[in-house]
Amino acid sequence: MKNGAFGRDLLVKALYGSFKKLNPLDLWHNPVMFSVELGAIVLTVEFVLEALGYKKGVLWFTGWTTFWLWLTVLLSNFAESLSEIRGKARAESLKSYKTAVMAKKLREPLPDSPYDTVSSTDLRKGDLVLVEEGDIIPGDGEIVEGAALVNEAAVTGESAPVIREAGSDRNAVIGGTKVVAGRIVVKITANPGETFLDKMIGMIETAKRRKTPNERALEVLLVSLTAIFLVVVLNFRVLSEYLVRTTGRGEPASITILMALFVCLAPTTIAALLPAIGIAGMDRLFRRNVVALSGRAIEAAGDVNVLLLDKTGTITLGNRMASEFIPVGNHTFEECVHTAMIASIADETPEGKSIMELAKKTLGVRSDALPKNVKVIPFTPETKMSGVEVDGHSYRKGAFSAVKEYILRIGGTLPPELERVVGRIAMSGATPLVVVKDKEVVGVVALKDVLKEGIKARLAKLRNMGIKSIMITGDNPLTASAIAKEAGVDDFVAEAKPEDKLNLVRDLQKQGYIVAMTGDGTNDAPALAQADVAVAMNAGTQAAREAANLIDLDSDPSKLLDIVEVGKSMLITRGALTTFSIANDIAKYFVIVPSAVSPIFPHLDKLNILRLEDPYVAVLSAVIFNALIIPALTPLALKGAFYRAVAPDKLFVYNLLIYGVGGVIAPFVAIKLIYHLIEFFVG
């Protein structure tokens, strides 16, 4: 498995990085492991002095303890190096797309303006470039003219091209992607070296990630515990000398014993894995095509308790689909379906296509049986209707208010039940579309927002996590209420304007909530900037991307649900390993302390519950376990602890039982096994 998460090439690079990180200038950022390295240096000197005969000591014990202390530091470095290299592998693949291309720089802000062919490295923010079919987009920008089908596989890994067009919230393009079809004018929004791809590569290569508040708090705890244990060990030396003088038994604890005691009692496990957990959190988001612009955002995602979800594209598929035909007046069901089908012959919108599909399926009509010579009546903002004229008949479909005005103007009449049918459809959360033949209203088509598959289950899962979901939509309250009820959303805000979104985020934060939201438009930027976790769509506007702290390369708004799960998994992983590390120390206490002092103070031999007879082998066994537990837990740190969508209190109890109780039991079993293995091989 050469290129897997633990492939041979990757492991070799991580091993090399482990030795590089032995440089104290690199290791000082991890105070606990820095202290272990200092201890290893001291023991190395001690071993050399004992080997040369300048000091008395148990040479084999000092030598092996020194070896395992160095190995502890190396294994800690390996975990961090491995997590960094996994991310850098992606950076290398991104670099292959970051090449200089020739750009058509326009002399005037017009599509047909003459252009100069220049290198993409010579483009500057504000320049206008023409990009045609088959061209590579020379830099990050926004489309100001035209529309195109763009292949973004270079960045997102998604092979299906996507539509990008001027004047919409999907007008942003990324340098290095390719125009498959179309002709566009792009306004460059970033200078060379400042592009989105540059930022991604730089961030991954340097693993530049500010420590989050929880990480800093945990680091303070680890440093404090390390300082306390250092004081304890120093006092332990003084105490052992005092006991030797007063009791006349044994010898004072040697430097080797003291170093072993310090390393085993210090929180080395979590200190070794903490950097890997943080970097792996970013890497796991990268693998889901989400770029984290700050570590704080990932952690905040784990603490989120309110999600603001856009309806269209997040909860629903985004295209309304025909779901029902309802005849009115004296017209039959077949007449209603046929009228709706003919009126939609030339309608290329998703709604129009869905009407055609459902109507043909209902009537059993084949496409080649439909009329060919039709006069198209296109939709206009003024008429709010569309349709065709065929064989001397006029077919129309449109909103109730527009059709009502049209019918009355041409001398027709409205069926008495029409308004009631339209109201019932609207109350159900669907959109009513009235269909007309000549001067008569034939019926109504119900267009329904189709929920994304599995969205209800995912929202229920969030509720089990203790997260409240709020749907934000521009729909009227009746439609919004129906969709919210069907999807299982906890609350909704209808007819929402940009200022409503911003005020909602602020109000929730004032109530103490950690708020997450998604957005892709300029009108979302203020609320995104205010939210604790702000996910911008990569295809959205520059303003939205600059306001966010997470960028979704796939432009899938529902990705927010995955981000929350990654964030929570990251927090659970850190908590689980911290619990396991502290529980380990409790177990090792019952091995190290009796082995170190029972010759001086026999009463403490009662703590030797494993009944380890040789104190040197016992201490060495604890040191070996202390080193080996780091690589054993590295896959967990990189992959993340198992996370279930349950209430926080239940999750706390679950992890306490697994990692707390397990953290106490595992060292006893492992140290006993290592002890017997050493005895077996050494004799």
Side-chain angles (χ1 to χ4, degrees):
M1 190 174 174
K2 186 176 178 180
N3 298 317
F6 296 95
R8 185 181 62 187
D9 291 348
L10 187 146
L11 293 175
V12 169
K13 290 179 182 178
L15 184 61
Y16 173 70
S18 303
F19 282 94
K20 282 185 67 178
K21 287 178 179 291
L22 287 176
N23 184 344
L25 296 177
D26 288 334
L27 200 61
W28 72 269
H29 70 280
N30 189 336
V32 179
M33 299 314 300
F34 180 68
S35 301
V36 176
E37 184 176 45
L38 291 180
I41 293 172
V42 170
L43 280 195
T44 301
V45 174
E46 184 77 6
F47 174 73
V48 171
L49 292 176
E50 288 182 13
L52 295 176
Y54 291 106
K55 290 193 71 174
K56 285 182 62 178
V58 182
L59 186 63
W60 70 267
F61 175 64
T62 303
W64 279 110
T65 304
T66 302
F67 169 79
W68 282 100
L69 255 62
W70 279 115
L71 194 58
T72 300
V73 180
L74 282 172
L75 291 173
S76 169
N77 292 346
F78 182 82
E80 184 174 0
S81 182
L82 183 62
S83 61
E84 289 176 359
I85 289 171
R86 289 175 73 194
K88 289 177 182 179
R90 175 155 183 160
E92 291 302 316
S93 66
L94 289 175
K95 279 183 178 179
S96 64
Y97 296 105
K98 189 180 174 299
T99 57
V101 297
M102 301 313 293
K104 301 167 183 174
K105 180 180 176 183
L106 295 173
R107 298 175 188 173
E108 302 290 338
L110 297 170
D112 297 324
S113 165
Y115 60 79
D116 298 314
T117 303
V118 301
S119 172
S120 59
T121 56
D122 295 328
L123 294 175
R124 293 294 179 269
K125 191 173 181 179
D127 287 344
L128 294 174
V129 294
L130 176 66
V131 189
E132 299 177 292
E133 184 174 323
D135 290 349
I136 301 293
I137 296 173
D140 289 3
E142 293 183 340
I143 301 174
V144 295
E145 185 79 31
L149 200 60
V150 181
N151 184 342
E152 296 184 342
V155 176
T156 67
E158 182 60 52
S159 58
V162 292
I163 295 174
R164 299 286 177 257
E165 58 184 325
S168 73
D169 285 341
R170 303 272 170 161
N171 67 345
V173 290
I174 301 174
T177 57
K178 185 177 183 179
V179 171
V180 177
R183 187 171 186 266
I184 54 177
V185 175
V186 176
K187 182 179 180 180
I188 300 298
T189 56
N191 293 321
E194 300 173 357
T195 66
F196 183 64
L197 210 55
D198 286 316
K199 291 176 183 176
M200 282 182 62
I201 292 170
M203 183 169 52
I204 300 171
E205 283 188 322
T206 60
K208 191 179 294 182
R209 190 184 65 87
R210 291 195 309 172
K211 291 179 181 177
T212 62
N214 278 351
E215 275 185 291
R216 286 196 293 269
L218 183 55
E219 191 172 80
V220 169
L221 174 64
L222 297 182
V223 172
S224 300
L225 288 175
T226 302
I228 290 170
F229 285 127
L230 186 58
V231 172
V232 168
V233 167
L234 293 175
N235 286 329
F236 193 82
R237 170 71 180 188
V238 176
L239 178 63
S240 66
E241 288 180 346
Y242 172 76
L243 290 174
V244 168
R245 285 198 304 267
T246 55
T247 64
R249 293 190 298 265
E251 295 180 356
S254 67
I255 291 178
T256 306
I257 289 287
L258 293 176
M259 287 301 173
L261 178 63
F262 169 72
V263 170
C264 287
L265 295 187
T268 50
T269 306
I270 184 59
L273 297 174
L274 186 59
I277 295 169
I279 297 170
M282 293 186 74
D283 181 59
R284 279 155 61 200
L285 282 181
F286 275 128
R287 292 173 188 277
R288 298 190 187 205
N289 272 355
V290 177
V291 179
L293 303 180
S294 76
R296 183 186 294 270
I298 307 175
E299 183 169 286
D303 287 329
V304 161
N305 41 32
V306 171
L307 282 179
L308 303 184
L309 302 167
D310 185 41
K311 185 201 75 173
T312 306
T314 304
I315 293 174
T316 66
L317 291 174
N319 295 324
R320 295 173 300 175
M321 310 292 286
S323 61
E324 187 180 6
F325 299 102
I326 302 137
V328 293
N330 297 321
H331 297 284
T332 64
F333 174 75
E334 287 74 17
E335 287 180 299
C336 176
V337 177
H338 184 267
T339 302
M341 180 178 64
I342 300 300
S344 304
I345 284 179
D347 189 348
E348 292 298 320
T349 65
E351 291 87 350
K353 290 179 179 179
S354 75
I355 293 174
M356 287 293 295
E357 185 178 342
L358 183 60
K360 288 191 291 184
K361 183 179 178 181
T362 302
L363 297 178
V365 176
R366 291 171 49 181
S367 297
D368 55 10
L370 296 173
K372 298 294 186 292
N373 298 319
V374 299
K375 180 183 177 182
V376 178
I377 309 298
F379 176 88
T380 66
E382 292 75 28
T383 63
K384 295 181 181 177
M385 293 192 304
S386 65
V388 298
E389 292 183 359
V390 57
D391 297 332
H393 293 286
S394 175
Y395 297 85
R396 299 284 190 278
K397 70 176 190 294
F400 169 68
S401 58
V403 169
K404 178 180 179 180
E405 182 182 336
Y406 169 75
I407 289 292
L408 295 178
R409 188 176 68 250
I410 64 175
T413 58
L414 297 171
E417 76 271 27
L418 177 61
E419 193 165 348
R420 177 176 53 80
V421 171
V422 168
R424 178 175 64 80
I425 292 173
M427 286 284 289
S428 70
T431 301
L433 203 61
V434 182
V435 293
V436 176
K437 181 179 180 182
D438 297 328
K439 294 184 179 182
E440 294 185 36
V441 175
V442 179
V444 184
V445 181
L447 296 175
K448 188 176 180 182
D449 277 320
V450 180
L451 294 181
K452 281 193 170 182
E453 186 177 353
I455 191 67
K456 189 169 185 177
R458 296 189 76 182
L459 291 172
K461 196 174 177 183
L462 288 173
R463 194 174 299 108
N464 290 337
M465 297 180 198
I467 299 174
K468 180 180 181 180
S469 57
I470 301 177
M471 181 182 77
I472 304 178
T473 177
D475 286 340
N476 64 68
L478 288 176
T479 301
S481 177
I483 294 292
K485 184 177 180 180
E486 185 180 359
V489 179
D490 296 315
D491 202 354
F492 68 90
V493 177
E495 298 177 343
K497 298 184 286 295
E499 56 269 26
D500 297 328
K501 297 178 183 180
L502 176 60
N503 291 333
L504 177 61
V505 173
R506 286 175 173 169
D507 290 343
L508 290 168
Q509 288 173 331
K510 286 178 183 176
Q511 296 172 42
Y513 290 106
I514 304 296
V515 182
M517 77 166 289
T518 62
D520 59 3
T522 301
N523 60 351
D524 294 321
L528 285 171
Q530 181 68 35
D532 299 290
V533 178
V535 185
M537 303 299 102
N538 181 48
T541 63
Q542 185 75 11
R545 290 184 303 185
E546 289 178 353
N549 46 31
L550 293 162
I551 307 291
D552 176 19
L553 301 179
D554 296 328
S555 298
D556 176 8
S558 64
K559 190 77 69 70
L560 181 57
L561 306 179
D562 295 322
I563 292 168
V564 169
E565 289 190 1
V566 169
K568 285 196 173 292
S569 175
M570 182 176 159
L571 288 179
I572 293 298
T573 303
R574 190 182 300 144
L577 292 180
T578 301
T579 303
F580 190 87
S581 178
I582 294 173
N584 265 214
D585 292 340
I586 296 172
K588 287 180 285 188
Y589 177 85
F590 285 92
V591 175
I592 294 284
V593 173
S595 298
V597 300
S598 57
I600 306 171
F601 202 49
H603 293 290
L604 285 179
D605 192 54
K606 294 177 180 178
L607 296 176
N608 186 9
I609 58 178
L610 291 180
R611 312 317 302 168
L612 305 179
E613 297 177 1
D614 189 322
Y616 293 113
V617 176
V619 172
L620 182 59
S621 300
V623 171
I624 292 173
F625 169 80
N626 194 66
L628 294 181
I629 196 64
I630 295 172
L633 294 176
T634 295
L636 178 65
L638 297 179
K639 185 179 179 181
F642 174 66
Y643 174 69
R644 297 189 304 171
V646 299
D649 55 339
K650 292 182 179 179
L651 197 61
F652 173 77
V653 173
Y654 172 81
N655 282 304
L656 193 62
L657 289 173
I658 297 298
Y659 296 100
V661 176
V664 172
I665 295 173
F668 282 125
V669 176
I671 290 172
K672 185 75 171 179
L673 178 62
I674 294 169
Y675 180 89
H676 287 306
L677 285 174
I678 294 174
E679 281 192 326
F680 176 79
F681 286 109
V682 175

